[in-house]
Each structure stands twice: as C-alpha cells, then as structure tokens.
Amino acid sequence: MAKMTEHRKLKKWVADMARMCRPDRIVWIDGSEAEKRCLEKEACATGEVIRLNKKKLPGCLYHRTAVNDVARTEGLTFICTKRKHNAGPTNNWMSPAKGYAKARKIFRNAMKGRTMYVIPFSMGPIGSPFSKIGIELTDSIYVVLNMRIMTRIGKDVLKSLGRDGEFTKCLHSKADLDIKRRLILHFPEDNTIWSVGSGYGGNVLLGKKCLSLRIASYLGKCEKWMAEHMLILGIEKPNGQIEYIAGAFPSACGKTNLAMLIPPKGLKKKGYKIWTVGDDIAWMRIDSDGRLWAVNPEAGFFGVAPGTNSKTNPNAVITSRKNTIFTNVLLKPDKTVWWEGGDGKTPSKGIDWMGRPWKPGMLDDNGNVIKGAHPNSRFTAPIGQCPTHTFRLDHHHGVPISAIILGGRRARLAPLVYESFDWEHGVYVGSTMASERTAAQVGKLGEVRRDPMAMLPFCGYNMADYFRHWLKMGKRMQKAPKIFHVNWFKTDKNGKILWPGFGDNLRVLEWVLGRCDKTAGAKKTPIGYMPGARDLDLTGLKLSPDTLKELLSIDKKEWGRELKEQEIFFKRFGSDLPPEILREHKALKKRLG
Ligand code: GTP
Ligand code: SPV
Ligand code: MN
C-alpha cells in the first residue's frame, strides 16, 4: 500500500514511527467510499462506534470517549521550541529533546495489537498554494473517520505532495488513555506534532487546533499571513452584494452558531441571506488588492451539541441529520441521540455519555442533576451538508474580509458591541479579550480568564510576538478590516442573559456592516464607537428600553478594575510587549478619566 507514494522521506518517517509504536499492521488511507465502509464495519464490530438508526439518522455513528478524556487538556499541551522564550509566557514549554524523550516512552510499543493508519490530509483545497498538507499516523479508527469529515484526505493528497513536498508530521496514539501518560506536543521548528494518551477531538484530530492553529500560527508569522480561531460568514445584503466577516470567540462562545445564523423575522423582510464559510478556523493573507482574504482550511464542523436545536440553530440540526459522528451525547433506545437543550421532549430513558442507564432528574452523590450528554459533547458533520454553505469554500483565494469581530462570554463589563478607533486600537482590544471558561477545556467553569484573540490555548509561539505580527499585518494592508468587539452574554443582576442572541445577532452585524460602508450612525465613547438605541434595527424584537440601555452601557468603575487586571496580564510579557499595546492602554485610561 505504501506504493501510493514515492515520497522517500515520508516512507522513511512512517517506517521510523512504526518501529517505535510497533503496530501489527500499517494501512494507508486512500479516502475511498469502499474504505470508509470497511472502517465503519470494523469499528462497529469492536464497539468503538455504534451505528445509529439507519432510517432517522442515515450514515450516522455514535462514540463515547473515556470519562477523563472529554475536552482539550491544556495543562498537558506543550510548545516545544529550542528556546523557552519563543514559546512565551502563556504556553507550557518543554525543550524538543525532553519532549521527544518523554513522549517516546509512552509511544514505545503503544500500537501493539493495533493497526496504524496513515492519513494524508490537506488543510484547505487540495493543490491550493495556500493549503498545507499533513500526514497523521493514528491507531484510532474514530480519528480516521473524523478526519475524513473534517479535512480532505486520501490519494489525491499524496499525489499533490509528490516526491518531496513539505508536510506536517502528525503522530497520534491512544496508548492506554491514561491522563497521567497523556501529552500533546508541538514542535513548530520541526513541523511536527506528537499526541499521545487521548482520544478526544481537539487533542487528536491533529489537523484542527494542533496544525491549523498552533503550527500554522507559527508558519503564518514566518510567511506573513494569519492563522486564527475565527468563524467566517458572508452576509448577502438586500442589494445582492456579499460582505464577509471573520469572528474570534473562545471555545464554546458561539462561533458555530453565528456562522450559520438564520436572519430573524423582522430583518428577513429586508432580504438578508447568510453564507457559511467556516465555524472555527480562518487562514488569512493579504491579496494583491491590499485587502485581507480568508479561507477556512477545514471541511467539516466539530460542533458543540448541547444547546443546539431547531430554534437556536436550525442549520446545524439539518447539517447533522446524516453522515455525522456524535460524541458523548445521550443514546436513546431507538438508536437516535439527544442532549440538553436539544430538540424534542426530554427522553424518559437512555444511555448517558458515560455508558450508564439514564433517566431525567437522576442525581449524583453530591445531589447534582446527572446530564445525559456531556456539556462538551460534539457532532462531526461535513460542511457541504449545511444548507447555507458557500461554493467559495473550494476557491483557494477565499473571501475578502470587511470586518473582524472579537468577543467573549462576559456577564459584566463588555457592552453588546463597540467599534475600535483603528487597527492598532483593535489589536489592543483583541489583546485584552477575556472570557468565562466553558466546558471545551478542562478547568473551573465560569472563571474569567484572559484569552487574547481567542488564541490563548492555540498560539504556537510567544504571544507578545503574535501581537506584533497583528500590528505589522495592519500596516501591510491597504484597506484593513475594521475591528469590533461584541458580547452576546451580558447578564442582569439575577444572571439572566440580556440579549436574545443567535439569529438576532444579525442586528448587530448589520450595524457592523453599516459602519464599514459608513451608512450607520454611532456615538464616540471612551472605549470606542457605539450604536445609539436608534442605530440598531430592532424590528420585531421585544426588548425593553432599560435592557437595551444596560446592554449599551459603560460602567466606569468596572472599567477601572478592568484596566488594572489588564496591567497584571501585560506584565507577564515584560519588555516583549509591543509599545503600541501599552500606548493604547494608557490612552484608554486617559479617556475613561
Ligand atoms: P468551539 O467549537 O468550542 O470553538 O465553540 P463555538 O465558539 O463554535 O461555540 P458554539 O457556537 O458551539 O456555541 C457554544 C454554546 O453557546 C452553545 O451551547 C450555544 O447554544 C451557545 N450560544 C451560541 N451563540 C449564542 C448566543 O448568541 N447567545 C447565547 N445566549 N448563547 C449562545
Ligand atoms: C474548541 O475547543 O475550540 C473546539 C473543539 O473547537 S476542539 O476541536 O476540541 O478544540
Ligand atoms: Mn474552537
């Protein structure tokens, strides 16, 4: 099967890794339908996946990960550069020598009794000058089946790689799924990723966060482009013109939902239409017109299940009705699936994400309600099945970006939306982003943490240099996108979210586009430009004037505290922090008085 390629370095690397991991067999993945059928059959036979109801969910599979392996483990994720300084103060660091040595001990013989699959994959359309090729070696069929959906895989990728093309070496083994023997290591200087001891999404689908963000952000810095944790959507305006927006929100803060939103009734009359380009990752470069152009390197969604239903996100529901892999959701007796905040009545029974019989209202030892689906349960579905997907997904030049929106999950402080004064101020706003921790990563839920550009867990190099890279990119552009900050999650004193969110977010995006073509009004505030109550189209929305006022208010006391917290965060970068960032911070302090 290795006949599929004449790439000598690739063949040697596969042989070397096999010598370490000792699989019983090596299978090169060609990407064919026949191969998919075989893999599914085998995975069903071992119980690794369960085939779901063929009538109600055709082509769909169900999978559970180990109980201690349900989210990215950032504490076990490392950037391995020769110099510690190049990983920066926000990343875990290990020297490459130590990283390889530690992981080698776990990888040794880890694939005994198993098959090693060789997955050639392309991030971005195969053959595009802006795409990157990776080869993932894995002992998990679940990973192969997911990579099939999330990326472009198989023979054509090898053909495109030729005899000596460059590729990212991605090695993964479940090993024994022991959290004490789990490491997610990135070697940007070697274009290599080693992940061992996990079977969960972002830890093991190495094309996603590991390659397309951590390695790609490093390549982007070297090659003058940007790899960002951003959704991309097109808004077709009533006049037929389509404007594209990219948006950075931390994990589980609304990217998938925004990327496929349905215009609310009141605005639909105007004739808006949404085009989905991507829901998680954007690769952006400056084209000959001096503007920023974005591609989505992925081919599928790895979306959060809980909260997804026909009201909040009908497009996601339609997208995941066939050929979808569901992970850690509730399995119903009729072999369909359910999750908290999903469609339909709460089922009277099922098997929960841990594989135990489940009934609604069951309590654990601490008296807490046991959820049927894990809060970070996910669906993996092909983007092509999304009713709003755009044919431009396969165009290597991507789409031109008019605006970048940055956002987090913040109960207080950040108003619904504000516009930065210019690119430099926008970079400062991005560098100060913060959000409450969600279930997408291991750790204490709800804790506010700094998450610049939603890239804190994904930047493959020193974040001070990352800010500098953003500033430089702005200078290189003839017409840089405008930068905005949004917050769909502001709450009242009782913790109730004030803004309806989801489809209604288009009301905010309409104002954003209005600011880009200078048709929308705004008032100047210390933090940036903000819409007045009349600058937002709220037709058909029941929102009291007081609520709107609260959504668009700035509490100077809270901002005073915020400035202090920013200073603490910035101190971590020492003298590496670009002076522009400190200048913007000082200027804001002055404006707030
Ligand atoms: P990752 O895939 O982890 O990067 O997450 P994401 O940013 O794509 O988040 P996603 O769109 O999956 O949303 C995460 C959770 O936030 C889901 O439970 C959604 O229902 C909820 N959510 C998304 N958008 C909104 C919104 O506008 N308002 C409110 N209140 N909740 C939202
Ligand atoms: C995220 O956590 O930001 C995700 C899911 O998109 S994962 O692929 O696990 O990183
Ligand atoms: Mn994400």
PDB file of all heavy atoms in Angstrom, residues 72 208-209 213 229-230 249-253 255-256 279-281 298 302 304 378 440 454 458, ligand 3:
ATOM      1  N   ARG A  72     -10.283  19.336  25.610  1.00  0.00           N
ATOM      2  CA  ARG A  72      -8.847  19.551  25.431  1.00  0.00           C
ATOM      3  C   ARG A  72      -8.193  19.675  26.801  1.00  0.00           C
ATOM      4  O   ARG A  72      -8.729  20.310  27.701  1.00  0.00           O
ATOM      5  CB  ARG A  72      -8.591  20.827  24.624  1.00  0.00           C
ATOM      6  CG  ARG A  72      -8.821  20.653  23.128  1.00  0.00           C
ATOM      7  CD  ARG A  72      -8.528  21.925  22.363  1.00  0.00           C
ATOM      8  NE  ARG A  72      -9.502  22.957  22.673  1.00  0.00           N
ATOM      9  CZ  ARG A  72      -9.323  23.947  23.520  1.00  0.00           C
ATOM     10  NH1 ARG A  72      -8.157  24.097  24.128  1.00  0.00           N
ATOM     11  NH2 ARG A  72     -10.275  24.813  23.768  1.00  0.00           N
ATOM     12  N   LYS A 208      -6.713  19.967  13.160  1.00  0.00           N
ATOM     13  CA  LYS A 208      -7.520  21.074  13.657  1.00  0.00           C
ATOM     14  C   LYS A 208      -6.683  22.053  14.484  1.00  0.00           C
ATOM     15  O   LYS A 208      -5.905  22.815  13.940  1.00  0.00           O
ATOM     16  CB  LYS A 208      -8.711  20.501  14.436  1.00  0.00           C
ATOM     17  CG  LYS A 208      -9.836  21.479  14.643  1.00  0.00           C
ATOM     18  CD  LYS A 208     -11.027  20.808  15.287  1.00  0.00           C
ATOM     19  CE  LYS A 208     -12.174  21.758  15.558  1.00  0.00           C
ATOM     20  NZ  LYS A 208     -12.680  22.495  14.398  1.00  0.00           N
ATOM     21  N   LYS A 209      -6.794  22.002  15.801  1.00  0.00           N
ATOM     22  CA  LYS A 209      -6.124  23.005  16.616  1.00  0.00           C
ATOM     23  C   LYS A 209      -4.598  22.884  16.509  1.00  0.00           C
ATOM     24  O   LYS A 209      -3.882  23.893  16.474  1.00  0.00           O
ATOM     25  CB  LYS A 209      -6.571  22.896  18.075  1.00  0.00           C
ATOM     26  CG  LYS A 209      -8.062  23.204  18.292  1.00  0.00           C
ATOM     27  CD  LYS A 209      -8.416  24.492  17.650  1.00  0.00           C
ATOM     28  CE  LYS A 209      -9.673  25.193  18.113  1.00  0.00           C
ATOM     29  NZ  LYS A 209     -10.928  24.546  18.216  1.00  0.00           N
ATOM     30  N   LEU A 213      -3.898  25.762  13.841  1.00  0.00           N
ATOM     31  CA  LEU A 213      -3.677  26.943  14.681  1.00  0.00           C
ATOM     32  C   LEU A 213      -2.264  26.991  15.270  1.00  0.00           C
ATOM     33  O   LEU A 213      -1.523  27.927  15.003  1.00  0.00           O
ATOM     34  CB  LEU A 213      -4.733  27.033  15.784  1.00  0.00           C
ATOM     35  CG  LEU A 213      -6.139  27.397  15.271  1.00  0.00           C
ATOM     36  CD1 LEU A 213      -7.146  27.454  16.410  1.00  0.00           C
ATOM     37  CD2 LEU A 213      -6.133  28.732  14.520  1.00  0.00           C
ATOM     38  N   HIS A 229      -8.381  31.636  15.299  1.00  0.00           N
ATOM     39  CA  HIS A 229      -9.512  30.858  15.824  1.00  0.00           C
ATOM     40  C   HIS A 229     -10.792  31.641  15.526  1.00  0.00           C
ATOM     41  O   HIS A 229     -11.384  32.245  16.410  1.00  0.00           O
ATOM     42  CB  HIS A 229      -9.311  30.689  17.338  1.00  0.00           C
ATOM     43  CG  HIS A 229     -10.239  29.711  17.991  1.00  0.00           C
ATOM     44  ND1 HIS A 229     -10.499  29.727  19.339  1.00  0.00           N
ATOM     45  CD2 HIS A 229     -10.953  28.666  17.494  1.00  0.00           C
ATOM     46  CE1 HIS A 229     -11.330  28.745  19.647  1.00  0.00           C
ATOM     47  NE2 HIS A 229     -11.626  28.096  18.544  1.00  0.00           N
ATOM     48  N   MET A 230     -11.161  31.640  14.239  1.00  0.00           N
ATOM     49  CA  MET A 230     -12.259  32.505  13.798  1.00  0.00           C
ATOM     50  C   MET A 230     -13.254  31.783  12.899  1.00  0.00           C
ATOM     51  O   MET A 230     -12.874  30.958  12.079  1.00  0.00           O
ATOM     52  CB  MET A 230     -11.699  33.684  12.988  1.00  0.00           C
ATOM     53  CG  MET A 230     -10.948  34.717  13.793  1.00  0.00           C
ATOM     54  SD  MET A 230     -10.435  36.073  12.697  1.00  0.00           S
ATOM     55  CE  MET A 230      -9.500  37.076  13.842  1.00  0.00           C
ATOM     56  N   PHE A 249     -14.092  34.119  18.763  1.00  0.00           N
ATOM     57  CA  PHE A 249     -14.664  33.914  20.098  1.00  0.00           C
ATOM     58  C   PHE A 249     -13.982  32.685  20.692  1.00  0.00           C
ATOM     59  O   PHE A 249     -13.741  31.728  19.973  1.00  0.00           O
ATOM     60  CB  PHE A 249     -16.170  33.617  20.053  1.00  0.00           C
ATOM     61  CG  PHE A 249     -17.010  34.580  19.278  1.00  0.00           C
ATOM     62  CD1 PHE A 249     -18.234  34.162  18.771  1.00  0.00           C
ATOM     63  CD2 PHE A 249     -16.623  35.891  19.058  1.00  0.00           C
ATOM     64  CE1 PHE A 249     -19.044  35.032  18.045  1.00  0.00           C
ATOM     65  CE2 PHE A 249     -17.428  36.764  18.343  1.00  0.00           C
ATOM     66  CZ  PHE A 249     -18.641  36.333  17.835  1.00  0.00           C
ATOM     67  N   PRO A 250     -13.725  32.690  21.990  1.00  0.00           N
ATOM     68  CA  PRO A 250     -13.132  31.497  22.613  1.00  0.00           C
ATOM     69  C   PRO A 250     -14.019  30.261  22.423  1.00  0.00           C
ATOM     70  O   PRO A 250     -15.164  30.378  22.008  1.00  0.00           O
ATOM     71  CB  PRO A 250     -13.043  31.883  24.090  1.00  0.00           C
ATOM     72  CG  PRO A 250     -13.005  33.375  24.088  1.00  0.00           C
ATOM     73  CD  PRO A 250     -13.865  33.804  22.944  1.00  0.00           C
ATOM     74  N   SER A 251     -13.483  29.112  22.760  1.00  0.00           N
ATOM     75  CA  SER A 251     -14.194  27.850  22.599  1.00  0.00           C
ATOM     76  C   SER A 251     -15.554  27.893  23.294  1.00  0.00           C
ATOM     77  O   SER A 251     -15.669  28.402  24.412  1.00  0.00           O
ATOM     78  CB  SER A 251     -13.370  26.715  23.202  1.00  0.00           C
ATOM     79  OG  SER A 251     -12.101  26.693  22.587  1.00  0.00           O
ATOM     80  N   ALA A 252     -16.549  27.359  22.596  1.00  0.00           N
ATOM     81  CA  ALA A 252     -17.922  27.281  23.119  1.00  0.00           C
ATOM     82  C   ALA A 252     -18.500  28.659  23.457  1.00  0.00           C
ATOM     83  O   ALA A 252     -19.225  28.826  24.433  1.00  0.00           O
ATOM     84  CB  ALA A 252     -18.001  26.338  24.314  1.00  0.00           C
ATOM     85  N   CYS A 253     -18.155  29.661  22.656  1.00  0.00           N
ATOM     86  CA  CYS A 253     -18.711  31.001  22.855  1.00  0.00           C
ATOM     87  C   CYS A 253     -19.492  31.489  21.640  1.00  0.00           C
ATOM     88  O   CYS A 253     -19.750  32.686  21.508  1.00  0.00           O
ATOM     89  CB  CYS A 253     -17.612  31.992  23.201  1.00  0.00           C
ATOM     90  SG  CYS A 253     -16.951  31.719  24.849  1.00  0.00           S
ATOM     91  N   LYS A 255     -19.185  30.553  17.920  1.00  0.00           N
ATOM     92  CA  LYS A 255     -18.727  30.663  16.523  1.00  0.00           C
ATOM     93  C   LYS A 255     -19.608  29.839  15.577  1.00  0.00           C
ATOM     94  O   LYS A 255     -20.064  30.344  14.558  1.00  0.00           O
ATOM     95  CB  LYS A 255     -17.261  30.208  16.386  1.00  0.00           C
ATOM     96  CG  LYS A 255     -16.260  31.176  16.982  1.00  0.00           C
ATOM     97  CD  LYS A 255     -14.819  30.743  16.770  1.00  0.00           C
ATOM     98  CE  LYS A 255     -14.493  29.413  17.384  1.00  0.00           C
ATOM     99  NZ  LYS A 255     -14.738  29.298  18.833  1.00  0.00           N
ATOM    100  N   THR A 256     -19.827  28.561  15.915  1.00  0.00           N
ATOM    101  CA  THR A 256     -20.625  27.702  15.034  1.00  0.00           C
ATOM    102  C   THR A 256     -22.011  28.311  14.828  1.00  0.00           C
ATOM    103  O   THR A 256     -22.523  28.365  13.704  1.00  0.00           O
ATOM    104  CB  THR A 256     -20.747  26.286  15.633  1.00  0.00           C
ATOM    105  OG1 THR A 256     -19.431  25.762  15.798  1.00  0.00           O
ATOM    106  CG2 THR A 256     -21.538  25.370  14.724  1.00  0.00           C
ATOM    107  N   ASP A 279     -16.535  27.732  10.693  1.00  0.00           N
ATOM    108  CA  ASP A 279     -17.063  27.946  12.046  1.00  0.00           C
ATOM    109  C   ASP A 279     -15.987  27.922  13.134  1.00  0.00           C
ATOM    110  O   ASP A 279     -16.314  28.051  14.302  1.00  0.00           O
ATOM    111  CB  ASP A 279     -18.126  26.890  12.372  1.00  0.00           C
ATOM    112  CG  ASP A 279     -17.502  25.565  12.789  1.00  0.00           C
ATOM    113  OD1 ASP A 279     -16.439  25.202  12.233  1.00  0.00           O
ATOM    114  OD2 ASP A 279     -18.058  24.895  13.673  1.00  0.00           O
ATOM    115  N   ASP A 280     -14.702  27.737  12.752  1.00  0.00           N
ATOM    116  CA  ASP A 280     -13.714  27.601  13.826  1.00  0.00           C
ATOM    117  C   ASP A 280     -12.344  28.185  13.491  1.00  0.00           C
ATOM    118  O   ASP A 280     -11.678  28.705  14.368  1.00  0.00           O
ATOM    119  CB  ASP A 280     -13.556  26.115  14.190  1.00  0.00           C
ATOM    120  CG  ASP A 280     -12.953  25.902  15.571  1.00  0.00           C
ATOM    121  OD1 ASP A 280     -13.432  26.535  16.532  1.00  0.00           O
ATOM    122  OD2 ASP A 280     -12.010  25.111  15.696  1.00  0.00           O
ATOM    123  N   ILE A 281     -11.928  28.067  12.227  1.00  0.00           N
ATOM    124  CA  ILE A 281     -10.561  28.457  11.895  1.00  0.00           C
ATOM    125  C   ILE A 281     -10.534  29.268  10.597  1.00  0.00           C
ATOM    126  O   ILE A 281     -11.196  28.904   9.621  1.00  0.00           O
ATOM    127  CB  ILE A 281      -9.662  27.204  11.762  1.00  0.00           C
ATOM    128  CG1 ILE A 281      -9.583  26.499  13.130  1.00  0.00           C
ATOM    129  CG2 ILE A 281      -8.267  27.572  11.262  1.00  0.00           C
ATOM    130  CD1 ILE A 281      -8.888  25.169  13.116  1.00  0.00           C
ATOM    131  N   GLU A 298     -10.747  23.911   6.970  1.00  0.00           N
ATOM    132  CA  GLU A 298     -11.434  22.667   7.314  1.00  0.00           C
ATOM    133  C   GLU A 298     -12.525  22.323   6.296  1.00  0.00           C
ATOM    134  O   GLU A 298     -12.925  23.152   5.486  1.00  0.00           O
ATOM    135  CB  GLU A 298     -12.068  22.792   8.703  1.00  0.00           C
ATOM    136  CG  GLU A 298     -11.044  23.089   9.798  1.00  0.00           C
ATOM    137  CD  GLU A 298     -11.622  22.960  11.190  1.00  0.00           C
ATOM    138  OE1 GLU A 298     -12.357  23.873  11.634  1.00  0.00           O
ATOM    139  OE2 GLU A 298     -11.347  21.961  11.839  1.00  0.00           O
ATOM    140  N   PHE A 302     -16.915  20.526  13.893  1.00  0.00           N
ATOM    141  CA  PHE A 302     -16.824  19.713  15.102  1.00  0.00           C
ATOM    142  C   PHE A 302     -17.547  20.559  16.151  1.00  0.00           C
ATOM    143  O   PHE A 302     -16.922  21.301  16.897  1.00  0.00           O
ATOM    144  CB  PHE A 302     -15.358  19.453  15.456  1.00  0.00           C
ATOM    145  CG  PHE A 302     -15.155  18.522  16.622  1.00  0.00           C
ATOM    146  CD1 PHE A 302     -15.650  17.229  16.596  1.00  0.00           C
ATOM    147  CD2 PHE A 302     -14.459  18.937  17.743  1.00  0.00           C
ATOM    148  CE1 PHE A 302     -15.451  16.372  17.676  1.00  0.00           C
ATOM    149  CE2 PHE A 302     -14.255  18.083  18.824  1.00  0.00           C
ATOM    150  CZ  PHE A 302     -14.757  16.801  18.782  1.00  0.00           C
ATOM    151  N   VAL A 304     -20.373  21.966  19.094  1.00  0.00           N
ATOM    152  CA  VAL A 304     -20.923  21.688  20.423  1.00  0.00           C
ATOM    153  C   VAL A 304     -22.378  21.253  20.270  1.00  0.00           C
ATOM    154  O   VAL A 304     -23.172  21.956  19.641  1.00  0.00           O
ATOM    155  CB  VAL A 304     -20.871  22.967  21.296  1.00  0.00           C
ATOM    156  CG1 VAL A 304     -21.537  22.746  22.640  1.00  0.00           C
ATOM    157  CG2 VAL A 304     -19.440  23.454  21.478  1.00  0.00           C
ATOM    158  N   ARG A 378     -20.174  16.564  21.186  1.00  0.00           N
ATOM    159  CA  ARG A 378     -19.973  17.202  19.882  1.00  0.00           C
ATOM    160  C   ARG A 378     -20.594  16.410  18.743  1.00  0.00           C
ATOM    161  O   ARG A 378     -20.835  15.205  18.858  1.00  0.00           O
ATOM    162  CB  ARG A 378     -18.463  17.321  19.618  1.00  0.00           C
ATOM    163  CG  ARG A 378     -17.702  18.149  20.663  1.00  0.00           C
ATOM    164  CD  ARG A 378     -17.276  19.468  20.133  1.00  0.00           C
ATOM    165  NE  ARG A 378     -16.818  20.386  21.176  1.00  0.00           N
ATOM    166  CZ  ARG A 378     -16.492  21.645  20.921  1.00  0.00           C
ATOM    167  NH1 ARG A 378     -16.553  22.133  19.700  1.00  0.00           N
ATOM    168  NH2 ARG A 378     -16.115  22.450  21.896  1.00  0.00           N
ATOM    169  N   ALA A 440     -15.324  23.358  27.096  1.00  0.00           N
ATOM    170  CA  ALA A 440     -14.484  22.890  25.983  1.00  0.00           C
ATOM    171  C   ALA A 440     -13.048  22.618  26.419  1.00  0.00           C
ATOM    172  O   ALA A 440     -12.287  22.014  25.701  1.00  0.00           O
ATOM    173  CB  ALA A 440     -14.506  23.893  24.837  1.00  0.00           C
ATOM    174  N   ALA A 454      -8.938  35.037  21.317  1.00  0.00           N
ATOM    175  CA  ALA A 454      -9.412  33.647  21.479  1.00  0.00           C
ATOM    176  C   ALA A 454      -8.316  32.655  21.124  1.00  0.00           C
ATOM    177  O   ALA A 454      -8.581  31.502  20.794  1.00  0.00           O
ATOM    178  CB  ALA A 454     -10.674  33.388  20.650  1.00  0.00           C
ATOM    179  N   PHE A 458      -3.992  28.408  21.678  1.00  0.00           N
ATOM    180  CA  PHE A 458      -3.691  27.945  20.317  1.00  0.00           C
ATOM    181  C   PHE A 458      -2.537  28.648  19.625  1.00  0.00           C
ATOM    182  O   PHE A 458      -2.221  28.352  18.472  1.00  0.00           O
ATOM    183  CB  PHE A 458      -4.949  28.082  19.434  1.00  0.00           C
ATOM    184  CG  PHE A 458      -6.168  27.434  20.021  1.00  0.00           C
ATOM    185  CD1 PHE A 458      -7.309  28.168  20.301  1.00  0.00           C
ATOM    186  CD2 PHE A 458      -6.166  26.085  20.316  1.00  0.00           C
ATOM    187  CE1 PHE A 458      -8.431  27.573  20.855  1.00  0.00           C
ATOM    188  CE2 PHE A 458      -7.282  25.467  20.872  1.00  0.00           C
ATOM    189  CZ  PHE A 458      -8.414  26.217  21.145  1.00  0.00           C
TER     190      PHE A 458
HETATM  191 MN    MN B   3     -12.870  26.121  18.536  1.00  0.00          MN
END
